[in-house]
């Protein structure tokens, strides 16, 4: 394994093109990152500083993100609500850390291809940090998200097709901008892993039996898994892991297909399909192999749900006061199917991860 210093901008591995993963001195971190000390820290994701990239304090770009609530639904399910974070989706976690690190490294212009929410999170944190942002988005991205980017002052380029097409167009037009694509730089994952730290803390280090997570590019899922591994190294958790389940849309479910057909990675030619859950429309996830491996290793799996069931789940969550995004609501629809299939038990403690607010998708409300 080759190592790289974190004092200059990094993309993927220059030798083999694979994902770079941040490592820390866990023995040293262990001395200060304890359950006891966590109780006294600020209620933001920056509380896990020992296991976040080194950033000079004046370059930390923050809006107080993190420590979103975990609520119990009437059904007994737990729901962690990242609808209540700057920009209304968990993409803020990744961008808060990655934009801060970019600023610390002296980068000034950042670009991302996005189905929507990563773009607005980049636009938001770039604005906060005084950096320039450019976002390439499919034309189907909800107008509310496009306008959000524009309001933050980002330059938006709309592209026919899916997020892959947006990325291809971006690469023909880099103009000195730094590529912040999912898993093509190492720090968005570090921000997103704080979801795992928070879930552990908020369940008093007694993790639920299963976590159901909507999966597109997979950073959320991989980040959470990395957090659990790190917490074991830090002595904060034992070796038990929750079963991790990915939920995808029936219209675009490469991960579900790979698991169902016993493959190690999604089919590289997996066909595209549109869904109201735009964040899940990733037919060829760059980290497909790693996602499949985590789901298998955890004893969990993947489940696909059709759009009408996602809409039903949005309504049903709203009746309890949670206005979830279609991606987030898909976890409830997925839970129903996993119950039917016997993959989770009725009395099992299950956490649904709501990745975003429904307020960004008002066109879906009739
Ligand atoms: C991006 C996104 C997802 C998918 O997350 P990945 O980490 O790319 O798998 C899920 N929900 C929402 C609201 C998103 O914006």
């Amino acid at each position: 394994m080759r190592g790289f210093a974190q004092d200059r901008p990094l993309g993927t591995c220059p030798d083999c093109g694979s994902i770079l993963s941040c490592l820390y001195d866990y023995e040293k971190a262990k001395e200060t990152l304890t359950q006891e000390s966590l109780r006294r820290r600020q209620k933001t994701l920056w509380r896990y500083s020992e296991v976040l990239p080194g950033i000079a304090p004046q370059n930390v770009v923050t809006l107080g993100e993190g420590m979103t609530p975990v609520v119990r639904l009437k059904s007994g399910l737990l729901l962690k609500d990242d609808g209540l974070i700057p920009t209304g989706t968990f993409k803020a976690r990744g961008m808060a850390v990655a934009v801060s690190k970019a600023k610390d490294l002296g980068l000034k212009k950042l670009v991302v291809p996005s189905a929507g929410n990563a773009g607005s999170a980049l636009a938001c944190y770039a604005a906060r940090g005084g950096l320039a942002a450019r976002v390439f988005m499919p034309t189907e991205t909800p107008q509310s998200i496009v306008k959000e980017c524009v309001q933050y002052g980002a330059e938006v380029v709309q592209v026919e097709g899916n997020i892959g097409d947006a990325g291809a167009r971006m690469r023909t037009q880099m103009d000195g901008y730094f590529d912040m694509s999912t898993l093509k730089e190492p720090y968005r994952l570090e921000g997103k892993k704080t979801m795992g730290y928070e879930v552990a803390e908020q369940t008093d280090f007694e993790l639920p039996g299963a976590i159901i997570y909507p999966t597109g590019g997979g950073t959320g899922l991989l980040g959470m898994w990395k957090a659990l591994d790190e917490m074991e190294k830090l002595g904060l958790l034992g070796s038990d892991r929750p079963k991790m389940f990915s939920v995808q849309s029936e219209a675009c479910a490469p991960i579900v297909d790979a698991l169902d057909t016993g493959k190690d990675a999604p089919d590289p030619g997996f066909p595209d399909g549109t869904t109201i859950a735009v964040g899940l429309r990733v037919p060829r996830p760059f980290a497909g192999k790693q996602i499949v491996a985590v789901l298998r290793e955890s004893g969990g799996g993947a489940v696909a749900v059709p759009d009408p069931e996602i809409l039903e789940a949005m309504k049903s969550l709203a009746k309890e006061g949670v206005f979830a995004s279609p991606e987030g609501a898909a976890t409830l629809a997925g839970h129903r199917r996993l119950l039917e299939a016997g993959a989770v038990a009725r009395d099992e403690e299950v956490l649904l991860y709501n990745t975003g607010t429904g307020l960004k998708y008002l066109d879906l409300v009739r």
Side-chain angles (χ1 to χ4, degrees):
M1 194 164 55
R2 194 170 151 202
F4 299 90
Q6 295 187 22
D7 60 356
R8 70 205 62 180
L10 292 168
T12 51
C13 174
D15 298 337
C16 66
S18 63
I19 298 165
L20 295 179
S21 180
C22 293
L23 298 174
Y24 302 88
D25 183 345
Y26 299 105
E27 283 309 309
K28 180 155 171 258
K30 209 174 173 170
E31 290 166 17
T32 48
L33 191 56
T34 61
Q35 288 191 25
E36 172 56 29
S37 84
L38 280 171
R39 265 179 231 124
R40 294 188 302 267
R41 297 190 183 188
Q42 58 172 328
K43 298 272 182 259
T44 75
L45 59 77
W46 300 99
R47 62 204 265 105
Y48 309 110
S49 58
E50 290 91 337
V51 287
L52 288 174
I55 299 165
Q58 71 275 17
N59 291 329
V60 172
V61 183
T62 179
L63 291 155
E65 53 287 326
M67 271 294 157
T68 53
V70 173
V71 294
R72 194 170 290 277
L73 302 175
K74 284 187 210 129
S75 57
L77 293 168
L78 293 173
L79 178 138
K80 175 135 167 102
D81 196 0
D82 269 12
L84 303 169
I85 203 168
T87 74
T89 79
F90 81 114
K91 294 287 196 307
R93 295 177 182 273
M95 288 301 184
V97 172
V99 170
S100 296
K101 185 69 185 175
K103 185 173 161 115
D104 197 53
L105 293 170
L107 295 169
K108 302 223 156 30
K109 304 198 293 184
L110 309 175
V111 64
V112 76
S114 167
N117 294 321
S120 66
L122 173 67
C124 171
Y125 284 93
R128 179 82 176 158
L131 284 78
R134 193 184 264 178
V135 182
F136 287 78
M137 283 177 169
T139 42
E140 70 167 14
T141 299
Q143 274 304 305
S144 52
I145 303 177
V146 175
K147 287 183 182 170
E148 192 191 350
C149 294
V150 171
Q151 189 77 334
Y152 287 130
E155 190 186 328
V156 177
V157 183
Q158 292 202 274
V159 180
E160 277 310 325
N162 62 30
I163 185 170
D165 302 305
R169 168 75 82 78
M170 175 192 83
R171 286 186 286 278
T172 66
Q173 220 176 309
M174 289 306 287
D175 303 338
Y177 276 70
F178 184 77
D179 184 0
M180 301 283 276
S181 299
T182 301
L183 296 166
K184 298 207 176 156
E185 63 76 52
Y187 303 113
R188 282 175 65 189
L189 183 75
E190 294 305 293
K192 286 186 175 180
K193 84 180 179 192
T194 59
M195 294 188 293
Y197 278 88
E198 289 181 19
V199 167
E201 247 197 288
Q202 290 172 306
T203 55
D204 286 327
F205 301 92
E206 305 277 338
L207 292 169
I211 296 177
I212 306 183
Y213 193 88
T215 301
T219 347
L221 184 88
L222 297 177
M224 238 186 295
W225 194 249
K226 182 175 193 257
L228 301 182
D229 280 347
E230 287 184 351
M231 292 179 96
E232 187 178 346
K233 290 195 186 103
L234 294 166
L236 291 168
L237 285 178
S239 58
D240 283 354
R241 291 286 179 278
K243 290 183 279 186
M244 305 294 287
F245 289 97
S246 279
V247 181
Q248 300 202 291
S249 158
E250 259 182 11
C252 186
I255 301 294
V256 180
D257 178 69
L259 284 161
D260 285 354
T261 55
K263 292 195 199 85
D264 285 343
D267 176 353
F270 198 84
D272 190 13
T274 58
T275 164
I276 55 170
V278 291
L280 307 186
R281 185 184 171 194
V282 186
R284 279 149 235 164
F286 179 59
K289 196 171 163 187
Q290 288 86 339
I291 298 169
V292 168
V294 163
L295 296 174
R296 285 221 176 92
E297 193 189 331
S298 77
V303 60
V305 294
D307 280 3
E309 287 180 27
I310 295 179
L311 285 171
E312 266 315 299
M314 281 177 77
K315 268 192 202 151
S316 135
L317 287 171
K319 286 199 181 121
E320 290 194 50
V322 178
F323 197 163
S325 64
E327 297 86 353
T331 61
L332 179 62
H335 179 252
R336 287 200 190 111
R337 294 203 161 208
L338 291 169
L339 271 182
E340 279 162 25
V344 293
R346 276 187 200 280
D347 59 358
E348 197 164 0
E349 182 90 304
V350 175
L351 182 133
L352 308 180
Y353 210 108
N354 177 32
T355 44
T357 175
L359 285 170
K360 304 181 87 165
Y361 303 77
L362 288 177
D363 287 352
L364 298 178
V365 180
R366 297 269 177 269

